[in-house]
Amino acid sequence: MDRKKRFTTGRLTDDIVVQILSQVPFKSFCRFKCVCKAWLGFSSDQHYRQMLPKIPTGLLFGRGSSVQLVRFSPNDEQIDGFLTFLPHYEHLEFVDYCNGLVLCKYNASCTTSSAICRFIVCNPATREWRMLPDTHGSRCETVLAFDPSWSTQFYVFNLHKKARDSWQPNICKLEVFSSDLSTWLVDDEWCHPIGVDKPHIFIGGVLYVQKSGNGILVLEGWDAMRERIQPVDFTIKLPADSYSLMDGCFGQSSGLLQCAFLEEGGRRVAIWSFNAYLPCKWSLKHRLSMQDAFGRDYFDRISDPRMFSFGRIYFDRTGDGDMFSWLRGYRILALDLERDVLLLIDREAKNILSYNISNGKLSEIQYALPSWKYYYYVACHSKLPG
């Protein structure tokens, strides 16, 4: 009987197997990919991946001690967006999100000192969580790094900042938590002269972080810290001096870094791909017309009646909260090349829009967008790495 089953399975074409897999829930599909290399390869196949179950998506709002996850599709599996499954969840502060995992920190009421940082990483889709060992630091930029296509492990980076009145390099210490080692790796001598901001992306074991200036900090090789070897870091210049990630976002496709930038005051969006192995490195993939999508030519908000000025300083009555790019009528939220879409926040209508890169159509997918500090496009993976 077993031999007959193996023979029958061997006769199924890839088209039939993909058609069967397309009917199962996403979590089941994740398990079935482990059956054989051929089934695992369907996810990266340009033709078949469009038919296979997609990662459930939504929008994660974070502000202070409040965390909320809103699913875009009502058919997605139920997710506890308030993280009530975590111990003492009411004392949590949202820190970061990466590829389905959420990083939070307990406030001072749960620790013996305000200088102690107690982090917890969780997966809202599966309600799995893991408490990290306590560490110290009051002025840190903390980011979560997880790429399930590269490794089942996750990492937490603590970039310690110098005091505000110090003339020393802005970043003066690096801590990295590795989930496979279950400990913090510390380098007290690693420093970087320019500060970094929250936007980042983790691809194939390489961390890309937006710098405070016009560039991207690249960090890799931190596993060598266990041997007291400093990690490798360098800076990538953006494709053009006029670009800024304050108005753009990171993305990835086929293991390559992608970036979306506003052009001509928001009238166009340019999508670039970075390949370190090519002589030119940056290559233009798309140039999208937002004039055609929105049906208007003007994207500045200065003449909006809800804006008022005092001298040359303009103030926003809507409470958007973005100091540098709030004059734009919209903001790029996420670049999802797997679904071939660009997600935008419409600051006028206070909702989320989906722009189809293939056909140039704009559609509304979320109403009544709250004015929270952080917005993260969520891909909910099915397993928290051990």
Side-chain angles (χ1 to χ4, degrees):
M1 181 62 69
D2 291 341
R3 293 176 61 186
K4 183 177 180 180
K5 284 184 179 180
R6 287 197 297 268
F7 178 73
T8 304
T9 304
R11 293 173 56 187
L12 294 178
T13 65
D14 288 349
D15 289 341
I16 295 176
V17 174
V18 170
Q19 185 175 1
I20 295 172
L21 292 176
S22 67
Q23 305 301 314
V24 303
F26 175 74
K27 286 185 179 180
S28 299
F29 171 64
C30 289
R31 292 193 294 268
F32 294 157
K33 286 195 296 184
C34 301
V35 170
C36 61
K37 290 184 178 180
W39 288 21
L40 177 63
F42 290 146
S43 297
S44 57
D45 187 277
Q46 293 288 339
H47 173 67
Y48 288 131
R49 71 179 184 182
Q50 300 300 324
M51 296 179 279
L52 293 170
K54 297 292 191 301
I55 297 170
T57 56
L59 188 67
L60 186 74
F61 305 109
R63 181 182 59 187
S65 60
S66 300
V67 180
Q68 182 180 356
L69 191 147
V70 177
R71 293 172 292 128
F72 286 156
S73 172
N75 297 323
D76 287 347
E77 300 169 54
Q78 279 293 336
I79 296 174
D80 182 358
F82 290 97
L83 310 182
T84 58
F85 58 91
L86 296 178
H88 308 292
Y89 71 93
E90 65 276 9
H91 299 289
L92 287 174
E93 297 178 3
F94 175 80
V95 177
D96 200 12
Y97 162 84
C98 187
N99 284 327
L101 301 185
V102 175
L103 173 67
C104 294
K105 182 176 72 172
Y106 284 96
N107 57 37
S109 63
C110 290
T111 60
T112 57
S113 169
S114 59
I116 294 178
C117 295
R118 181 171 298 165
F119 295 103
I120 186 170
V121 175
C122 71
N123 186 333
T126 62
R127 301 193 173 197
E128 296 174 285
W129 55 271
R130 181 169 176 182
M131 193 84 69
L132 274 58
D134 289 352
T135 185
H136 294 77
S138 56
R139 299 193 70 245
C140 300
E141 190 70 47
T142 304
V143 297
L144 173 65
F146 174 53
D147 182 359
S149 65
W150 174 72
S151 171
T152 60
Q153 306 302 323
F154 68 84
Y155 302 86
V156 177
F157 292 79
N158 254 346
L159 303 170
H160 291 255
K161 300 178 181 180
K162 279 282 187 180
R164 295 184 184 274
D165 57 351
S166 173
W167 291 94
Q168 298 298 318
N170 202 324
I171 305 299
C172 62
K173 177 181 176 181
L174 174 66
E175 286 184 313
V176 181
F177 175 83
S178 174
S179 62
D180 61 335
L181 298 177
S182 299
T183 188
W184 289 95
L185 303 174
V186 182
D187 189 336
D188 292 311
E189 298 181 358
W190 188 85
C191 61
H192 201 275
I194 301 177
V196 296
D197 295 315
K198 179 65 74 172
H200 68 281
I201 193 168
F202 188 68
I203 308 173
V206 180
L207 180 66
Y208 301 89
V209 185
Q210 174 187 325
K211 294 178 65 172
S212 299
N214 187 10
I216 301 171
L217 174 65
V218 182
L219 188 62
E220 59 182 336
W222 55 85
D223 281 341
M225 289 172 59
R226 69 184 75 180
E227 305 295 335
R228 298 187 179 277
I229 300 175
Q230 287 193 339
V232 177
D233 67 272
F234 57 93
T235 298
I236 298 174
K237 288 188 176 181
L238 301 185
D241 292 338
S242 59
Y243 288 155
S244 171
L245 280 167
M246 295 297 294
D247 285 327
C249 75
F250 289 120
Q252 67 167 312
S253 179
S254 301
L256 297 179
L257 174 68
Q258 314 281 327
C259 289
F261 303 99
L262 296 187
E263 293 184 337
E264 298 180 4
R267 293 178 178 84
R268 295 191 304 183
V269 173
I271 298 176
W272 292 78
S273 176
F274 182 82
N275 190 338
Y277 300 101
L278 293 178
C280 297
K281 298 186 183 299
W282 286 106
S283 58
L284 181 65
K285 295 301 181 182
H286 302 280
R287 182 163 273 131
L288 314 173
S289 173
M290 295 296 105
Q291 294 171 288
D292 296 337
F294 282 91
R296 68 175 189 263
D297 295 331
Y298 196 72
F299 290 93
D300 251 337
R301 302 169 71 195
I302 294 179
S303 61
D304 193 299
R306 291 173 296 175
M307 307 292 295
F308 68 96
S309 64
F310 181 78
R312 293 186 178 181
I313 302 175
Y314 288 86
F315 299 89
D316 184 8
R317 298 182 189 273
T318 61
D320 192 280
D322 192 333
M323 293 179 60
F324 296 98
S325 59
W326 51 265
L327 288 176
R328 309 294 182 213
Y330 71 93
R331 165 193 164 188
I332 301 176
L333 173 63
L335 175 62
D336 188 343
L337 293 174
E338 179 183 348
R339 291 173 174 78
D340 209 27
V341 298
L342 190 70
L343 292 182
L344 310 171
I345 293 180
D346 187 343
R347 289 192 170 98
E348 306 302 320
K350 290 293 180 182
N351 56 19
I352 302 174
L353 305 174
S354 175
Y355 177 89
N356 189 300
I357 296 175
S358 299
N359 58 31
K361 291 185 178 180
L362 200 65
S363 57
E364 193 174 69
I365 58 176
Q366 176 72 30
Y367 298 91
L369 181 67
S371 295
W372 286 33
K373 185 175 182 180
Y374 300 112
Y375 303 99
Y376 287 88
Y377 180 59
V378 174
C380 300
H381 294 276
S382 61
K383 184 68 176 175
L384 177 68

